[in-house]
Amino acid sequence: MSQATILIESVDVLLLDLPTIRPHQLSVATMRRQKLVLVKVRASDGVTGWGEATTIGGLAYGEESPESIRTNITTYIAPLLAGLDATSPNGCMRVLRDSLQGNRFALCAIETALFDAHARRLGVPLSDLFGGRVRDSLPVAWTLASGDTARDIAEAEEMLDRRRHRVFKLKIGAREVRADVAHVAAIKRALGDRASVRVDVNQAWSQADAMLGMGMLEHAGVELVEQPIAAHDIDGMKRLRDMNRIPLMADEALHGPLDAFRIAGARAADVFAIKITQSGGLCGARQVAAIGAAANIGLYGGTMLEGAIGTVASSQLFATLPELAWGTELFGPLLLTEEILATPLEYRDFALQLPAGPGLGIELDEERLAWLARQYAN
Ligand code: MUC
Ligand code: MG
């Protein structure tokens, strides 16, 4: 490695507890707010980069909480990074991975910030550091999760009218299987061929629930079932695949490349939800995608309902994947009442339009961020 002259100087973490536009009901939590975990890395050449480590429902979804991520970054990760070569995100990440266990979300935010800063330094979009884009926009699904069938149908109709979304993911699993299926079937009936309807059970079903539910959902015209049973039950996922024609997507079961390899080897999923946080960063997510593609598993660009930073970081990577048959669900910023960017991300024609500028391609509205930090910092 060459003599480093541009060194990492500081790492800051900001938690913003922002309201959602409506309650968002998952089987594991009902979200009325989303706590964004934003990370800023500054190097000695004055270049800064941003990353995000947002999760869902405190500790309800993953084993890192916003507060533990902040503590682990400020206490352990920032001191390890200080003085390292800022022009080698890979070199920095190797030092971190050699020194600590786990912490996928925290590492994702750090890696994203390092790539953002380095791409800005080079004057290229972050996607160029992953070989360049094969598309400039990404189809974006919307999650219907108000908990009320009529309200969900009205929301879907509005999204179709505005040409913002035509793929809808319904959050189920909190109620009894037949009640959930009736809710989904009513929405699919109302939308007909104008929309694709998918469901996410977030691990809530037993094997018996899933045997009943997946068959009924297929008859209702549902296209995809996401994480129907416990994430650790790879054998169960394989059994459900063998029994059903409706495709099964692995989400919580995928904590990076090793899980991807295991699930692909067991033929336990038809589709992978690729998430940069769950994969421990952009490079890990790209490996998950490569393993999926090699195993002829369809790819879907997933979200942890991040704000603009994590959303656009994911989009920079997803835009480079040769195959993305199931589109994405990069709608996180649209679920929040507050904007943190100087120019909001552009959603039109059922897709997120990728920004063209260097790095992540976004500028944070620093004044607004300071105001939000006073209102919503945590
Ligand atoms: C998940 O499990 O997929 C993604 C969209 C949404 O509404 O929740 C997330 C998490
Ligand atoms: Mg999911």
Side-chain angles (χ1 to χ4, degrees):
M1 274 199 311
S2 63
Q3 194 69 32
T5 52
I6 302 175
L7 309 177
I8 296 176
E9 277 190 351
S10 64
V11 181
D12 293 299
V13 185
L14 174 65
L15 263 52
L16 281 183
D17 196 20
L18 301 181
T20 57
I21 56 170
R22 57 150 167 74
H24 197 67
Q25 294 191 16
L26 288 69
S27 64
V28 290
T30 297
M31 301 165 60
R32 292 186 170 78
R33 313 182 72 83
Q34 175 60 316
K35 205 175 277 188
L36 302 187
V37 185
L38 310 182
V39 175
K40 185 180 185 176
V41 173
R42 187 184 163 82
S44 58
D45 59 350
V47 177
T48 58
W50 285 90
E52 183 166 350
T54 299
T55 184
I56 291 173
L59 278 173
Y61 196 103
E63 66 280 5
E64 288 169 82
S65 73
E67 294 76 15
S68 77
I69 292 167
R70 175 172 57 190
T71 300
N72 289 348
I73 290 178
T74 54
T75 312
Y76 298 99
I77 295 176
L80 286 167
L81 281 172
L84 296 186
D85 178 0
T87 67
S88 174
N90 287 345
C92 295
M93 295 311 291
R94 190 173 69 169
V95 170
L96 296 183
R97 290 188 207 286
D98 282 351
S99 315
L100 49 91
Q101 308 292 328
N103 287 276
R104 301 186 309 279
F105 284 59
L107 291 178
C108 173
I110 297 288
E111 192 197 56
T112 303
L114 291 169
F115 270 101
D116 177 29
H118 197 48
R120 279 175 197 270
R121 192 172 285 125
L122 298 172
V124 299
L126 199 157
S127 50
D128 277 18
L129 302 187
F130 286 84
R133 298 175 185 180
V134 297
R135 58 185 79 76
D136 292 316
S137 68
L138 295 164
V140 177
W142 178 251
T143 298
L144 299 170
S146 75
D148 178 84
T149 309
R151 190 171 168 185
D152 281 357
I153 292 171
E155 199 172 291
E157 290 290 1
E158 190 203 327
M159 296 304 175
L160 286 166
D161 284 350
R162 292 168 59 192
R163 295 178 58 78
R164 218 179 70 181
H165 308 279
R166 58 181 161 201
V167 175
F168 299 102
K169 162 162 144 173
L170 278 51
K171 288 291 191 181
I172 61 171
R175 291 178 292 195
E176 194 265 319
V177 176
R178 288 175 198 279
D180 265 341
V181 173
H183 165 77
V184 176
I187 293 174
K188 178 61 192 166
R189 258 195 318 275
L191 302 178
D193 292 338
R194 294 176 298 144
S196 161
V197 171
R198 306 164 181 185
V199 301
D200 189 356
V201 193
N202 285 119
Q203 313 185 63
W205 281 347
S206 65
Q207 185 83 23
D209 289 340
M211 279 158 55
L212 174 67
M214 287 179 73
M216 290 167 78
L217 288 168
E218 187 196 331
H219 288 295
V222 171
E223 273 192 357
L224 182 69
V225 176
E226 182 173 340
Q227 202 62 60
I229 59 170
H232 61 79
D233 191 359
I234 305 302
D235 288 346
M237 287 164 60
K238 159 80 171 126
R239 249 191 326 271
L240 290 171
R241 266 200 82 212
D242 289 345
M243 276 189 304
N244 289 284
R245 277 177 303 185
I246 189 166
L248 187 153
M249 177 150 79
D251 181 9
E252 287 93 323
L254 271 175
H255 288 183
L258 294 180
D259 284 336
F261 186 69
R262 217 156 43 96
I263 295 168
R267 315 298 313 172
D270 301 283
V271 184
F272 276 176
I274 317 277
K275 296 186 175 179
I276 62 170
T277 44
Q278 291 280 33
S279 307
L282 297 155
C283 294
R286 190 169 61 164
Q287 290 173 349
V288 172
I291 291 166
N296 201 19
I297 289 171
L299 303 183
Y300 179 66
T303 179
M304 286 298 289
L305 302 175
E306 295 104 321
I309 295 171
T311 296
V312 84
S314 303
S315 76
Q316 293 276 350
L317 177 72
F318 298 159
T320 70
L321 301 178
E323 210 64 67
L324 194 61
W326 293 84
T328 79
E329 55 180 11
L330 292 177
F331 67 85
L334 302 171
L335 195 61
L336 304 174
T337 58
E338 305 295 335
E339 179 60 61
I340 62 168
L341 299 184
T343 307
L345 296 179
E346 193 186 349
Y347 290 89
R348 78 174 143 76
D349 296 328
F350 307 109
L352 168 64
Q353 313 297 322
L354 261 82
L360 290 172
I362 51 174
E363 292 305 327
L364 286 140
D365 181 341
E366 300 273 358
E367 244 175 64
R368 179 136 187 89
L369 208 59
W371 182 82
L372 289 171
R374 284 195 298 278
Q375 298 287 113
Y376 298 114
N378 206 272

